[in-house]
Amino acid sequence: MKLAYWMYAGPAHIGTLRIASSFKNVHAIMHAPLGDDYFNVMRSMLERKRDFTAVTASVVDRHVLARGSQEKVVNNISRKDKEEKPDLVVLTPTCTSSILQEDLQNFVNRASIETQADVLLADVNHYRVNEMQAADRTLEQIVQFYIKKAKKKKELDTTKTLEPSVNIIGSFNLAFHNQHDIAELKRLMSDLNIKINSIIPEGASVQELKNLPKAWFNIVPYREIGLLTAEYLKDEFDMPFIDTTPMGVVETANCIRKIQYILNQNNLDVNFEKYIDIQTRFVSQSAWFSRSIDCQNLTGKKAIVFGDSTHAVAMTKILTREMGIHVVWAGTYCKYDKSWFQKEVGDLCDEIVITDDHNLIGDLIAKVEPAVIFGTQMERHVAKRLNIPCGVISAPVHIQNFPLSYRPFLGYEGANQIADLIYNSFTLGMEDHLLEIFGGHDTKEVLSAGLSIDSKDSQIEWNLESQAELVKIPGFIRGKIKRNTEKFAQEQKMETITLEVMYAAKEAAS
Amino acid sequence: MTLVKQVGNEDLKEEINFECETGNYHTFCPISCVAWLYQKIEDSFFLVIGTKTCGYFLQNALGVMIFAEPRYAMAELEEGDISAQLSDYEELKRLCLQVKRDRNPSVIFWIGTCTTEIIKMDLEGIAPKLEVEINLPIVVARANGLDYAFTQGEDTVLAALAQRPNSKQSKNIELKTTSDENSIEHLPLILFGSIPDPVVNQLTLELKKQGIHVSGWLPSKRYTDLPLINEGNYVCGVNPYLSRTATTLMRRRKCKLIGAPFPIGPDGTRAWLEKICMVFGVEPKGLQKREDEVWEKLKYYISLIDGKSVFFMGDNLLEISLARFLIKSGMIVFEIGIPYMDKRYQGAELQLLQKTCKEKNIPIPIIIEKPDNYNQVDRIRDMRPDLVITGMAHANPLEARGINTKWSVEFTFAQIHGFTNAIDVLELVTRPLRRNQKLEKVGSQRYTDRR
């Protein structure tokens, strides 16, 4: 047993449901007790989905415990088949059903005799894999199933498209800024004159899976979900895939070069260097931003990074290589991906932390006292308690991380967004720090109704030197300093503010 | 398979129709009760013994609360626990000692889940032994999704509390002040049901006005202040989902249950007070006036919902009381879905529902136990009610189809009991109607092409 208040990755069935409900016209039936269908709530709330989530439960209750599910699961499958006419029904085991050890495969076999829909049993073990691993496996399983089916029916067409084309494997619901990322990837592909063959699974129909081999290559933007599918397609059809996440200008360029390599291999003479150069220097602002004076001030500032492996790695690379920020430690909760993580960022940070224990992460943050944190919602709350600014870069996330406006993390626009995120986190931190130095947060007494003392009513005058000094103080806290000094002067019954009074006020405040 | 049963009542000609559907409905898992119970019982700690699935539910359903150093945690079962390679006793001891060290609670509640049920972990057997060993009371409640729905979780916890023998340290509530000339001599009355402290005070005061003294509440603010419960005491529930607690108090503690409608809405509150008064032989004073005053205050809200229709999909067992209050407020109820219907414990409430319908001269709505959400959505499409009270899984999709919804869970977290809070109930009910009135100029009502 493990004492846990919070977890980074959800249970396996959530992963399966995320994949199933991302596809068009696929229905998932959970073999689960009442109340386990909160996935529908998450999808409907976080993603603000307009349509009913195609997930129902075949309820496990006392009767099922006593007598087994018997006809119940089969009936539920055929009922959904009639009601919703899905292309595919995915029977999803949960932690409860996996201990019951009922022969769910048998139910699936029996049900699929009667149903119009295909029926699959999600192949995931609840006690061994988490949400991401389960999602990865389920996607592979569904793709495999339809490739095999097409092969059997001799419908599989592996001739490549005339023009270069790509499959994007990695579009799903309840993922971090995913919709925006996919839009950005589509734009990137169209810039490079590459046709999109298929984007799976979000919005895709299972019927189009048999066309996957027609693409020239695959892109897997996120490491957690999609790699198994890409590897399967490579083994089966010798399709090359790119697993470089185009996040940050350097990695985006790497990703584009890999695309170029693949196209060149296919006897297509393309050179994207010019495109990369123009995008980097002129379209994306983030490379220029790194050169600008603002970013100079960030040099050597201490940061820590934590999240899923894709985002934590990409973020660490951006912070160190693109902004000159000192990453004290970088970490991930994807424990199963430890060696890759170490390989990628081993020499970009002082230390690597691999854990899914949020208490440990909290303690480590407190110990290091970084100037900024880039993490999940959990780190954001730790940061609040420690008064450290935090940017959220990875799931698990809240509803506010499903923004309505365009916020990709990938590609050149993504690089802009990330630069903003980093810079805003730091300036907020800096602002806070300066406030602290120049007299604290709280104006203890309200001097007047307005935010500043009206100079006409006020008896207090600023002499020339003090006025000059006041002007030197950064704009965003000048008002605060002015108020504090005036308040101090008033308390001391002084009528003119001199430099001495200013410093005395500052001293009194600290 | 439709099971139709009927409850007869001589005074009221029309009978209530009960139906039972498939039980394919969406509700919260009963372990969610820890969310409000840990806040209610200030010196408690709730340990939910279950899997990642339970933990993820608590984390997501209870959102931000998880970050405010909650006094609850998961004892997350691992493969070794399931296959009994680890000793349950030793594992629980280790975790409970850690909780004791870190949080120092006065009591630890163990919440059993589906998994502990299936692997038959003997929580009730382990608890008494461990309790002695670590010198801390342990209360076991089996709030699992195999047997219960949402608010029934509280019922299992309170039933477990009701079984605890009277503790020696519990000071039996302050003695009745003799100076209060109003008060009458009566047998001790203990009220059960977890409601926020301000509401506890409000209801206690309403009874005090009638000269009736509340000897204690189950649960109390602190575990160490649990009321003394003795044979022959009177008990009365404030929530419709507490039938196990009621049964436990009657059978185990030999208390007498006052079967009353629940104090939700001014009509319910009055009927609740009157029934208690009647039991103690007190002539109720000024209740008519009090009720009228509250209705007067509700006028604006009632003008918004009068004649409008409402459909309860059913997920928290408050449905009968809320439907009754809304009918009295002028609404027409199409269907009352409810997870579980205890016709004995809710008997008085059902009678008041009948009476209210007769008074308003409308047919009694059908009560659907263990509803089937898919069929319900079909019926909603046909009936097009003005308001659907439902869970979050259906709310956004229904809104997108131009149907007003109110999220049912809010009724369990808001203060809805007593005269004072009647307005809050209508505030909740009318919110979607008020909001959508204001939005009339933006876009159409339908936001999806799908059925």
Side-chain angles (χ1 to χ4, degrees), chain A residues 1-2 38 51 62 79, chain B residues 76 91 117 147 372 401:
Chain A
M1 277 181 215
K2 204 166 81 182
Y38 60 85
D51 291 308
R62 276 286 152 191
R79 181 184 159 184
Chain B
E76 195 184 314
E91 291 295 296
E117 214 54 36
D147 301 306
D372 185 299
R401 284 160 181 75

Side-chain angles (χ1 to χ4, degrees), chain B residues 150-371:
Chain B
F150 196 14
T151 48
Q152 286 180 296
E154 175 182 323
D155 194 22
T156 63
V157 172
L158 297 192
L161 270 181
Q163 281 189 34
R164 303 288 292 184
N166 286 330
S167 124
K168 281 181 209 105
Q169 55 186 356
S170 86
K171 354 166 207 348
N172 188 14
I173 321 303
E174 74 295 6
L175 290 165
K176 252 185 291 173
T177 41
T178 39
S179 59
D180 193 352
E181 69 224 38
N182 195 14
S183 74
I184 56 144
E185 283 295 316
H186 63 80
L187 284 164
L189 167 69
I190 293 138
L191 301 178
F192 56 94
S194 165
I195 47 177
D197 293 328
V199 190
V200 166
N201 294 336
Q202 286 158 13
L203 288 182
T204 309
L205 281 175
E206 293 292 352
L207 280 167
K208 200 177 159 202
K209 280 188 207 157
Q210 303 300 332
I212 292 165
H213 174 75
V214 179
S215 305
W217 282 80
L218 183 76
S220 45
K221 225 172 139 174
R222 299 181 65 80
Y223 176 77
T224 46
D225 294 341
L226 276 184
L228 279 178
I229 306 172
N230 291 312
E231 195 174 328
N233 290 173
Y234 279 97
V235 291
C236 185
V238 296
N239 278 323
Y241 43 77
L242 298 174
S243 47
R244 278 173 68 90
T245 312
T247 314
T248 309
L249 287 167
M250 284 193 292
R251 298 212 181 128
R252 294 287 195 99
R253 309 305 292 265
K254 309 275 182 265
C255 294
K256 286 180 254 177
L257 177 72
I258 303 176
F262 302 99
I264 292 168
D267 49 339
T269 308
R270 180 180 168 191
W272 183 75
L273 289 167
E274 278 178 348
K275 184 66 189 282
I276 296 173
C277 286
M278 197 189 88
V279 168
F280 290 121
V282 177
E283 182 68 33
K285 293 179 295 269
L287 283 184
Q288 178 75 55
K289 191 167 161 263
R290 184 95 170 88
E291 193 193 339
D292 292 345
E293 278 167 10
V294 177
W295 285 114
E296 186 62 30
K297 273 190 212 145
L298 300 181
K299 250 182 164 169
Y300 164 66
Y301 292 104
I302 289 176
S303 72
L304 294 173
I305 52 172
D306 193 25
K308 294 227 159 64
S309 55
V310 59
F311 189 110
F312 285 88
M313 285 185 81
D315 68 351
N316 59 14
L317 283 94
L318 292 169
E319 291 87 1
I320 305 284
S321 312
L322 287 173
R324 179 258 304 147
F325 172 35
L326 294 183
I327 291 171
K328 183 90 177 177
S329 306
M331 291 190 94
I332 296 148
V333 177
F334 282 161
E335 173 169 330
I336 308 177
I338 187 166
Y340 168 74
M341 181 76 239
D342 186 330
K343 286 168 204 152
R344 284 209 299 186
Y345 176 64
Q346 295 221 41
E349 183 63 79
L350 286 170
Q351 274 185 27
L352 186 58
L353 174 73
Q354 266 177 309
K355 202 180 128 214
T356 309
C357 288
K358 202 180 168 200
E359 193 184 302
K360 288 280 177 181
N361 202 17
I362 58 163
I364 300 173
I366 189 163
I367 295 176
I368 303 221
E369 259 189 282
K370 293 185 177 299

